[in-house]
Short mmCIF file of all heavy atoms in Angstrom, two decimals:
data_model
loop_
_atom_site.label_atom_id
_atom_site.label_comp_id
_atom_site.label_asym_id
_atom_site.label_seq_id
_atom_site.Cartn_x
_atom_site.Cartn_y
_atom_site.Cartn_z
N SER A 1 103.84 107.83 150.45
CA SER A 1 103.29 108.69 151.51
C SER A 1 104.18 109.91 151.73
O SER A 1 103.68 111.01 151.99
CB SER A 1 103.13 107.91 152.81
OG SER A 1 104.38 107.63 153.43
N ILE A 2 105.48 109.74 151.58
CA ILE A 2 106.42 110.85 151.77
C ILE A 2 106.18 111.94 150.73
O ILE A 2 106.07 113.13 151.06
CB ILE A 2 107.88 110.35 151.71
CG1 ILE A 2 108.20 109.49 152.93
CG2 ILE A 2 108.85 111.53 151.63
CD1 ILE A 2 109.55 108.81 152.88
N MET A 3 106.10 111.54 149.45
CA MET A 3 105.90 112.57 148.42
C MET A 3 104.47 113.11 148.46
O MET A 3 104.22 114.27 148.10
CB MET A 3 106.25 112.04 147.03
CG MET A 3 105.41 110.92 146.48
SD MET A 3 105.97 110.51 144.78
CE MET A 3 104.87 109.11 144.40
N SER A 4 103.52 112.30 148.93
CA SER A 4 102.15 112.77 149.07
C SER A 4 102.05 113.83 150.15
O SER A 4 101.37 114.85 149.98
CB SER A 4 101.21 111.60 149.40
OG SER A 4 101.19 110.65 148.36
N LEU A 5 102.70 113.58 151.27
CA LEU A 5 102.72 114.56 152.36
C LEU A 5 103.35 115.87 151.90
O LEU A 5 102.91 116.96 152.28
CB LEU A 5 103.47 114.00 153.57
CG LEU A 5 102.79 112.86 154.33
CD1 LEU A 5 103.73 112.27 155.37
CD2 LEU A 5 101.50 113.34 154.99
N GLU A 6 104.39 115.76 151.09
CA GLU A 6 105.06 116.95 150.56
C GLU A 6 104.13 117.71 149.62
O GLU A 6 104.09 118.94 149.63
CB GLU A 6 106.35 116.56 149.84
CG GLU A 6 107.29 117.71 149.57
CD GLU A 6 107.90 118.32 150.83
OE1 GLU A 6 107.92 117.64 151.89
OE2 GLU A 6 108.37 119.48 150.76
N LEU A 7 103.38 116.98 148.80
CA LEU A 7 102.44 117.61 147.89
C LEU A 7 101.33 118.33 148.65
O LEU A 7 100.85 119.39 148.22
CB LEU A 7 101.84 116.57 146.94
CG LEU A 7 100.86 117.09 145.88
CD1 LEU A 7 101.50 118.16 145.00
CD2 LEU A 7 100.35 115.93 145.02
N LEU A 8 100.92 117.78 149.79
CA LEU A 8 99.87 118.40 150.59
C LEU A 8 100.30 119.75 151.17
O LEU A 8 99.45 120.53 151.63
CB LEU A 8 99.44 117.46 151.73
CG LEU A 8 98.60 116.25 151.32
CD1 LEU A 8 98.36 115.33 152.50
CD2 LEU A 8 97.28 116.69 150.69
N LYS A 9 101.59 120.03 151.14
CA LYS A 9 102.08 121.35 151.57
C LYS A 9 101.73 122.42 150.54
O LYS A 9 101.93 123.62 150.79
CB LYS A 9 103.59 121.30 151.80
CG LYS A 9 104.02 120.41 152.96
CD LYS A 9 105.53 120.39 153.11
CE LYS A 9 105.96 119.47 154.25
NZ LYS A 9 107.45 119.42 154.39
N HIS A 10 101.23 121.99 149.40
CA HIS A 10 100.81 122.90 148.33
C HIS A 10 99.31 122.70 148.12
O HIS A 10 98.88 122.01 147.19
CB HIS A 10 101.59 122.61 147.05
CG HIS A 10 103.08 122.66 147.21
ND1 HIS A 10 103.81 123.82 147.05
CD2 HIS A 10 103.96 121.69 147.55
CE1 HIS A 10 105.08 123.56 147.26
NE2 HIS A 10 105.20 122.28 147.58
N PRO A 11 98.48 123.27 148.99
CA PRO A 11 97.04 122.98 149.02
C PRO A 11 96.28 123.31 147.73
O PRO A 11 95.18 122.79 147.53
CB PRO A 11 96.53 123.83 150.20
CG PRO A 11 97.57 124.88 150.41
CD PRO A 11 98.86 124.25 150.04
N THR A 12 96.87 124.13 146.87
CA THR A 12 96.19 124.44 145.61
C THR A 12 95.92 123.18 144.80
O THR A 12 94.92 123.10 144.06
CB THR A 12 97.04 125.41 144.76
OG1 THR A 12 97.24 126.62 145.49
CG2 THR A 12 96.35 125.75 143.44
N ILE A 13 96.79 122.19 144.94
CA ILE A 13 96.62 120.96 144.15
C ILE A 13 95.31 120.27 144.47
O ILE A 13 94.72 119.59 143.62
CB ILE A 13 97.81 119.99 144.37
CG1 ILE A 13 97.84 118.93 143.26
CG2 ILE A 13 97.74 119.34 145.74
CD1 ILE A 13 98.06 119.46 141.87
N LEU A 14 94.81 120.45 145.71
CA LEU A 14 93.56 119.80 146.11
C LEU A 14 92.36 120.38 145.37
O LEU A 14 91.33 119.73 145.24
CB LEU A 14 93.36 119.94 147.62
CG LEU A 14 94.44 119.27 148.48
CD1 LEU A 14 94.20 119.57 149.96
CD2 LEU A 14 94.47 117.78 148.25
N LYS A 15 92.51 121.59 144.87
CA LYS A 15 91.47 122.21 144.05
C LYS A 15 91.24 121.39 142.79
O LYS A 15 90.12 121.29 142.29
CB LYS A 15 91.90 123.63 143.69
CG LYS A 15 91.01 124.35 142.70
CD LYS A 15 91.59 125.71 142.37
CE LYS A 15 90.80 126.41 141.27
NZ LYS A 15 91.41 127.72 140.90
N TYR A 16 92.32 120.77 142.30
CA TYR A 16 92.23 119.97 141.08
C TYR A 16 91.98 118.49 141.38
O TYR A 16 91.08 117.87 140.81
CB TYR A 16 93.51 120.13 140.25
CG TYR A 16 93.92 121.57 140.06
CD1 TYR A 16 95.17 122.03 140.45
CD2 TYR A 16 93.04 122.49 139.50
CE1 TYR A 16 95.55 123.35 140.30
CE2 TYR A 16 93.40 123.82 139.33
CZ TYR A 16 94.67 124.24 139.74
OH TYR A 16 95.02 125.56 139.58
N SER A 17 92.76 117.93 142.30
CA SER A 17 92.61 116.51 142.61
C SER A 17 91.27 116.22 143.27
O SER A 17 90.80 115.08 143.26
CB SER A 17 93.76 116.02 143.51
OG SER A 17 93.72 116.66 144.77
N GLY A 18 90.65 117.25 143.85
CA GLY A 18 89.35 117.08 144.50
C GLY A 18 88.17 117.37 143.59
O GLY A 18 87.02 117.35 144.03
N THR A 19 88.44 117.64 142.31
CA THR A 19 87.39 117.91 141.33
C THR A 19 87.00 116.61 140.63
O THR A 19 87.87 115.90 140.12
CB THR A 19 87.87 118.93 140.27
OG1 THR A 19 88.15 120.17 140.92
CG2 THR A 19 86.80 119.13 139.21
N TYR A 20 85.71 116.32 140.58
CA TYR A 20 85.28 115.07 139.95
C TYR A 20 85.15 115.22 138.44
O TYR A 20 85.57 114.34 137.69
CB TYR A 20 83.95 114.59 140.54
CG TYR A 20 83.52 113.26 139.96
CD1 TYR A 20 84.25 112.10 140.22
CD2 TYR A 20 82.40 113.16 139.15
CE1 TYR A 20 83.89 110.88 139.68
CE2 TYR A 20 82.02 111.94 138.61
CZ TYR A 20 82.77 110.80 138.88
OH TYR A 20 82.41 109.59 138.34
N MET A 21 84.56 116.32 137.99
CA MET A 21 84.40 116.54 136.54
C MET A 21 84.76 117.97 136.19
O MET A 21 84.49 118.90 136.94
CB MET A 21 82.97 116.24 136.10
CG MET A 21 82.54 114.80 136.27
SD MET A 21 80.88 114.48 135.62
CE MET A 21 81.19 114.57 133.86
N GLU A 22 85.40 118.13 135.04
CA GLU A 22 85.82 119.45 134.56
C GLU A 22 85.78 119.45 133.04
O GLU A 22 86.10 118.45 132.39
CB GLU A 22 87.24 119.75 135.06
CG GLU A 22 87.80 121.08 134.58
CD GLU A 22 87.35 122.26 135.43
OE1 GLU A 22 86.70 122.02 136.47
OE2 GLU A 22 87.65 123.41 135.07
N THR A 23 85.40 120.58 132.47
CA THR A 23 85.38 120.73 131.02
C THR A 23 86.34 121.84 130.60
O THR A 23 86.29 122.94 131.16
CB THR A 23 83.96 121.07 130.51
OG1 THR A 23 83.07 120.02 130.87
CG2 THR A 23 83.96 121.23 129.00
N ILE A 24 87.21 121.54 129.66
CA ILE A 24 88.13 122.53 129.10
C ILE A 24 87.72 122.74 127.65
O ILE A 24 87.80 121.83 126.83
CB ILE A 24 89.59 122.05 129.18
CG1 ILE A 24 90.00 121.87 130.65
CG2 ILE A 24 90.53 123.05 128.49
CD1 ILE A 24 91.39 121.30 130.83
N SER A 25 87.27 123.94 127.34
CA SER A 25 86.73 124.19 126.01
C SER A 25 87.42 125.33 125.26
O SER A 25 87.32 125.41 124.03
CB SER A 25 85.23 124.49 126.10
OG SER A 25 84.99 125.59 126.96
N GLU A 26 88.10 126.21 125.96
CA GLU A 26 88.70 127.38 125.32
C GLU A 26 89.69 126.98 124.22
O GLU A 26 90.60 126.19 124.43
CB GLU A 26 89.42 128.23 126.36
CG GLU A 26 89.97 129.55 125.79
CD GLU A 26 90.62 130.41 126.85
OE1 GLU A 26 90.51 130.07 128.05
OE2 GLU A 26 91.25 131.41 126.48
N GLY A 27 89.46 127.53 123.03
CA GLY A 27 90.37 127.29 121.92
C GLY A 27 90.21 125.94 121.25
O GLY A 27 91.05 125.55 120.43
#
């Protein structure tokens, strides 16, 4: 919980952890 709370101080990560499906195709 301590490191999770620290990670939540960087809200950009939620853009990724909150994504259910993603496709990476470039290259």
Side-chain angles (χ1 to χ4, degrees):
S1 72
I2 291 172
M3 64 178 177
S4 297
L5 290 172
E6 195 67 20
L7 182 58
L8 287 174
K9 294 179 181 179
H10 304 271
T12 300
I13 196 63
L14 298 175
K15 173 183 174 183
Y16 311 123
S17 65
T19 297
Y20 183 66
M21 296 184 72
E22 178 83 7
T23 300
I24 298 176
S25 57
E26 185 177 351

